[in-house]
């Protein structure tokens, strides 16, 4: 029997099939001025109230945080009119997305996500022991019919980012409702609203209403984007009581730090700061989109705080060439090859100075590439 045993501990099947998540790069070789447009961070930073709360909380680093994040859940509940008992907080929404897979997927089950969906979904499903199933998109937008066509008796969880990362497209609320109506009641629908606060479309909803009325819908949100608290890692979800209970049973007892609880509680109450960030995005998203299109590039319509710019699949003009050129100029964008989009770059709406520099450099790249092609 001993000869049949492995010579060392081996992870269970599926773990080594996971491609390690690689964040967007943050700098360039040689230093110099750098504008980071690769991680969808807000250029306005965190709320002054959140920073003050965070600083005050550092005076008590020797004590464990409240294991239920009561103050944070209460602040979120007050902001959105929710029952705090249905809210669960995590170390970023990434942790909650994984905990949901651990609770509801597993060996012999399937989890569905869209073709260009957030990479964490595949990681979470595989880490739970489940099998990931990819539904193709239509026009770089989640396709409800494609998802429903892939539901089987083994399906346990469906992830939908709305709006989607990295495409920036969204599903109207009627389509989200149609998706939910087509799912069997034992399938958990997870609506990831990481970028919800930026959307101004009249037919959009983050899914909060559906999460409150249905027994198999969860909505997740994050403090990493519009609230500017990416460094302290805070996410939250609202769910039916039975789902919240299941996740609370498997999450770590102190998964949200004391300073994070304090900062998040202050940030969620600072509506003026959120409004300013949304207004800045509403001003610059169309400017960047129109600027890139004026250069002859295709841009996927986005409602989030980033845009997806497509480049020709030609030497000297490709997304890889553009990324290298922009990096030399200190403009750090996001390659999205891992998302199945090798000929595109995702670009965050940054501050005015960075946005202006990006459009100027992009213009230099396009004109230079065209000139070398015609030479």
């Amino acid at each position: 029997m001993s000869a049949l045993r492995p010579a060392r501990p081996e992870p269970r099947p599926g773990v080594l099939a996971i491609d390690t998540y690689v964040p967007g790069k943050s700098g360039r070789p040689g230093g110099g001025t750098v504008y980071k447009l690769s991680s969808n961070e807000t250029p306005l930073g965190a709320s002054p109230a959140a920073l003050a709360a965070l600083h005050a909380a550092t005076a008590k680093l020797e004590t464990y945080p409240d294991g239920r994040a009561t103050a944070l859940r209460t602040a979120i509940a007050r902001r959105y009119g929710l029952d705090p008992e249905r809210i669960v907080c995590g170390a970023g929404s990434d942790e909650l997305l994984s905990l949901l897979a651990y609770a509801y997927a597993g060996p012999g089950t399937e989890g569905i996500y869209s073709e260009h969906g957030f990479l964490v979904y595949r990681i979470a499903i595989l880490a739970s022991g489940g099998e990931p199933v990819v539904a193709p998109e239509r026009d770089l937008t989640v396709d409800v019919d494609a998802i429903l066509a892939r539901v089987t008796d083994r399906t346990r969880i469906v992830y939908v980012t709305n709006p989607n990362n990295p495409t920036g497209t969204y599903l109207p609320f009627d389509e989200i409702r149609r998706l939910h109506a087509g799912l069997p009641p034992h399938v958990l629908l997870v609506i990831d609203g990481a970028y919800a606060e930026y959307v101004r479309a009249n037919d959009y909803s983050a899914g909060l209403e559906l999460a409150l009325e249905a027994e198999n819908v969860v909505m997740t949100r994050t403090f990493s984007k519009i609230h500017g608290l990416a460094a302290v890692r805070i996410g939250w979800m609202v769910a039916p009581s039975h789902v919240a209970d299941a996740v609370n049973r498997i999450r770590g007892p102190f998964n949200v730090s004391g300073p994070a609880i304090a900062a998040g509680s202050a940030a969620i109450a600072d509506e003026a700061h959120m409004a300013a960030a949304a207004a800045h995005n509403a001003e610059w998203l169309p400017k960047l989109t129109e600027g890139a299109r004026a250069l002859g590039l295709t841009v996927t319509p986005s409602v989030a705080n980033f845009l997806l710019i497509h480049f020709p699949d030609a030497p000297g003009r490709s997304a890889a060439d553009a990324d290298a050129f922009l990096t030399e100029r200190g403009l750090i964008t996001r390659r999205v090859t891992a998302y199945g989009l090798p000929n595109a770059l995702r670009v965050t709406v940054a501050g005015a100075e960075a946005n202006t520099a990006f459009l100027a450099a992009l213009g230099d790249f396009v004109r230079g590439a065209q000139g070398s092609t015609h030479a």
Side-chain angles (χ1 to χ4, degrees):
M1 287 291 293
S2 60
L4 299 177
R5 293 174 181 165
R8 61 183 184 183
E10 295 289 343
R12 58 173 173 71
V15 171
L16 296 183
I18 296 172
D19 294 321
T20 303
Y21 183 87
V22 179
K25 61 182 185 285
S26 299
R28 62 168 176 168
T33 301
V34 169
Y35 298 108
K36 186 183 176 190
L37 297 84
S38 58
S39 297
N40 301 341
E41 297 152 341
T42 172
L44 271 62
S47 154
L51 292 174
L54 180 69
H55 178 73
T58 61
K60 299 179 180 179
L61 295 183
E62 73 281 4
T63 62
Y64 282 101
D66 171 14
R68 300 191 70 231
T70 304
L72 180 55
R73 291 188 300 108
T74 300
I76 295 168
R78 185 181 300 117
R79 170 70 175 79
Y80 291 101
L82 304 173
D83 176 0
E85 293 303 312
R86 296 181 62 173
I87 297 171
V88 182
C89 296
S93 56
D94 295 359
E95 182 190 31
L96 298 172
L97 296 170
S98 294
L99 290 175
L100 288 164
Y102 302 157
Y104 290 94
T109 72
E110 296 173 344
I112 300 175
Y113 60 95
S114 67
E115 179 181 7
H116 304 298
F118 187 31
L119 296 176
V120 165
Y121 305 149
R122 173 180 169 83
I123 293 172
I125 295 165
L126 284 169
S128 75
E131 180 180 344
V133 176
V134 180
E137 296 183 3
R138 180 181 300 175
D139 298 326
L140 297 182
T141 303
V142 172
D143 186 335
V144 169
D145 294 312
I147 291 176
L148 294 177
R150 283 156 180 79
V151 174
T152 71
D153 291 341
R154 298 172 61 198
T155 306
R156 293 294 181 273
I157 193 165
V158 173
Y159 291 102
V160 174
T161 323
N162 201 34
N164 191 42
N165 170 31
T167 62
T169 56
Y170 77 101
L171 284 181
F173 191 46
D174 286 349
E175 281 293 276
I176 291 290
R177 282 198 174 275
R178 185 167 75 85
L179 171 60
H180 174 249
L183 293 174
H186 70 274
V187 175
L188 186 67
L189 174 60
V190 181
I191 304 171
D192 180 354
Y195 301 93
E197 292 88 353
Y198 291 106
V199 186
R200 295 196 167 188
N202 292 331
D203 58 352
Y204 172 80
S205 169
L208 180 58
E209 301 94 332
L210 198 54
L212 294 177
E213 68 187 46
E215 288 294 302
N216 62 335
V217 177
V218 173
M219 182 203 70
T220 63
R221 301 284 275 272
T222 183
F223 280 80
S224 296
K225 305 306 177 187
I226 203 164
H227 297 291
L229 293 174
V232 294
R233 311 304 302 130
I234 318 171
W236 63 279
M237 73 179 206
V238 62
S241 297
H242 65 93
V243 176
D245 177 63
V247 172
N248 276 322
R249 289 172 184 268
I250 61 174
R251 69 174 177 83
F254 306 110
N255 62 326
V256 183
S257 73
I261 291 170
S265 300
I268 199 75
D270 192 344
E271 296 187 33
H273 188 75
M274 285 188 283
H280 175 86
N281 194 69
E283 175 188 355
W284 277 100
L285 181 63
K287 287 181 179 180
L288 289 170
T289 300
E290 292 158 11
R293 286 175 175 165
L295 295 170
L297 299 171
T298 299
V299 181
T300 299
S302 173
V303 296
N305 70 329
F306 58 85
L307 60 158
L308 190 68
I309 304 177
H310 303 265
F311 293 82
D313 185 13
R317 304 179 64 190
S318 69
D321 295 317
D323 183 57
F325 182 91
L326 293 166
T327 297
E328 284 294 317
R329 295 284 188 95
L331 294 149
I332 311 302
T333 60
R334 180 73 148 110
R335 295 292 310 280
V336 284
T337 302
Y339 286 92
L341 297 163
N343 297 318
L345 296 178
R346 192 192 69 191
V347 180
T348 303
V349 176
E353 180 178 303
N355 294 334
T356 301
F358 169 75
L359 287 175
L362 185 65
D364 290 344
F365 169 75
V366 170
R367 287 185 287 271
Q370 291 173 340
S372 63
T373 300
H374 296 155

